[in-house]
Amino acid sequence: MSRSFFRTETILALTIVVMSIYIGIVNPVFFTVGNLFDLLRSSIVMGIFAMGVLLVIISGGIDVSFTAVAVFAQYATVRLMTIFMPEAPLWIVFLVAGIIGLGLGMINAFFISRFKLPTLIVTLGTLSMFHGFLLFAIGNKIIRDIPPSMPEFARTSLIEVAMTVGVSRLHPAVLITVAVAILTWLLLDFTMLGRGIYALGGSREAAERAGFNIPRIQYFIYGTVGFLAGIGGIIYASLNRQANPQELVGSELNVIAAVVLGGASLTGGRGTVIGSLLGVALVVIMNNSLVLIGVPSTWQRVVVGAIILIGTGLPAIQARRKAQHAAGLSQTQ
Amino acid sequence: MADEIIRLSNINKAFAGVKALQDVTLTIERGKIHCLVGENGCGKSTLIKIMAGVYQRDSGSVVINGKEFERLHPIDAIREGIQVIYQDFSLFPNLTVAENIALNEQLADGKRLVNWGNVRQVAEEALAQIEVRLPLNARVEEMSVASKQLIAISKALRQNAQLIIMDEPTSALTEREVRALFGVIHKLQARGIAFLFVSHKLNEVLEISQTIMVMRNGSNVSVGDRSEYDHKRLVFEMTGHTIGEKAYDFTPDTSRPPLLRVEKLNASGALEDINFDLYAGEIVGVTGLLGSGRTELALALFGMLPIQSGRLTMGGKPVQIRTIQDAIANGIGYVPEDRITEGLFLEQSIGRNVVVRTIDRLRGALGLTDVQEVNAQINEWVSALRIKTSDPALPVKTLSGGNQQRVVLAKWLASNPRVMILNGPTMGVDIGSKNELHEMIKDLAGKGMGLLVISDDIPELLQICNRILLMRRGRIVEEITPEQTDENQLAAKLIED
């Protein structure tokens, strides 16, 4: 839509292309179908989380609790299923996890909208609460005996390509990520609710005066984040064929960083689906492929951190320059 | 009467027992431009909010378009065509011009989906109504204040505005932008839309209004036709007493070297060949339009804008000013135009703001500050500058605009500068405080300080300056003394290109 957005995304896409070419030259394995499918598989859950995070960030908030929500919904659902319905079909598993996630998201929304508390404080609190409650009251051991519909789902493939050694598969869950991304895009760009999210992030006061129902928008946002977290959690457990209550929590900043790299502003009001997806792609490529070019795994975190700092720092500096320029002009008025 | 849009009778409103409005009566007719003037805190904003349905009156009656409203809700006011354009415009900086114009309407229509073609069309129509062209796809944050105002007006028009209430609409506009705004107002007036124009700027009030209402301490002290008022009477009604201002008549002692001599100063793209002297005791005005370089000149002298070439001499000695620290070390002080973001720590106490510049000098043994000495300084400045506060420990944001400006002044004066640069020293300050600030500026000059006053408030320049430098496109094009000119002539020169 606008030039500045377009530019963030173009730069990001170019960075990905240049990085891919470099990695591919150093290690041609990068350009194999197998590696591409692996990268896509690694992006499935992060991509879903990123869509939820994008909504929150555009609205001017931040949610760090979604990983706890994801692991809570995932683990609680698996436990419920193993006790009450071991043969549960996949859609029931997804539905239950989605509902649990939605419920937890609503708890966030309640504190944020009712008491007008800072979103970071609320979700930092609920991150600990949800995770602590899960480990204390629901269970802290890895469950490997998950409902069979989940590992079955893990074995399915959308595309199979025969390689010199074995077969490379693309998992159909990428379609879920694609669907979530398309729905998020339609929501943000073509519904009044979506425009309300942008409006809220741009100026809360003006949004109120215009007649947007701010609490309703907030319940929608944090509820959706919770729901998506639940779905992502189940996909994660399915692909790993186990429910581990210690996983996912701790990766929330990676997802937030990907969304911010994709041009979403932490001050709210801006961010796009396509940018966030590119951000996810960049982070996933860095996490998965630096090892291909011989960067020791301990250094990966440093490199990822540096790219996040540069990628989010440059637009911030640019924005400030622009603001100073504008201020310089208005001073002469 | 059929052509009345709104009639307020005997409105009373108190907040926690304090009377904000007392028996205020106001009638606005269709297609008329009505001005509301008064000092800060006189009840203007409260009255506007009652008309918009944001506040509920305690007693009195409100009749809009012939209908009496027992209780007026914001939505009623909007339905009756009353639109308030607040000083912050209520726009979304992150959204495009088109969407800002069309959004409220789409929301009010209960739309769930966005039809972008329709958004564009609505915005085009709205801008066409006021015969203005703006880039529809640009973000509002990229637009100038004047454009934002036009966007806000277009938005109001789309909601069938019959009365547009504008709160201090010209306080951040340049002379030319004010002309353009007045043009738009007259166009809309011809179509039967009424305006309530709230302003501090008396010249503008006298120019645009057909009827005037003056408020003081929550009451309307005077209502009448424009022809009954002149500048003097307005000041009298607003303040309750006559304020006489004498022009600053001063001839500098040129036998001594000037406090500041600027020779062949160039800053790329902003300033070209700037030459002037500032002698002790002088108040030199700098004026010009947007982009004329008047603020850039201040920034260059204060080390905030890099200088490409040129010579600066202070008291006969050449000096180099590359950073703000250089400027301060050479005794130059700068009070920026935007005191809120650049001049003050709003959340901090009045006292701390006053001493922040000189805190290094107040350090005693062990590098710790002497609390008693600090407090003595604070009290001295608070009383010297007559800052109206019950306690200097209160945050600066609790003060009115005029008093905040005094705190900024105090902060600089505490460090004893030789040259003070004041950018828009009385912007957004009410008339009573304005006069006091003027007196203060003259006092400082009388004590031997050299002052550079950047302003486009023409009466102000004529009253307090002994010389005025007119800037255009980064150059000083003319030096004027107040005796040689008058308001109209100077205003004409200002907008001339």
Side-chain angles (χ1 to χ4, degrees), chain B residues 363-379:
Chain B
R363 261 200 313 232
L366 300 172
L368 301 175
T369 49
D370 178 344
V371 177
Q372 292 195 342
E373 178 63 34
V374 168
N375 285 336
Q377 265 237 0
I378 291 170
N379 289 329

Side-chain angles (χ1 to χ4, degrees), chain B residues 29-42:
Chain B
E29 290 171 20
R30 215 167 290 281
K32 283 280 168 67
I33 301 174
H34 196 95
C35 277
L36 178 57
V37 292
E39 302 202 77
N40 285 341
C42 70

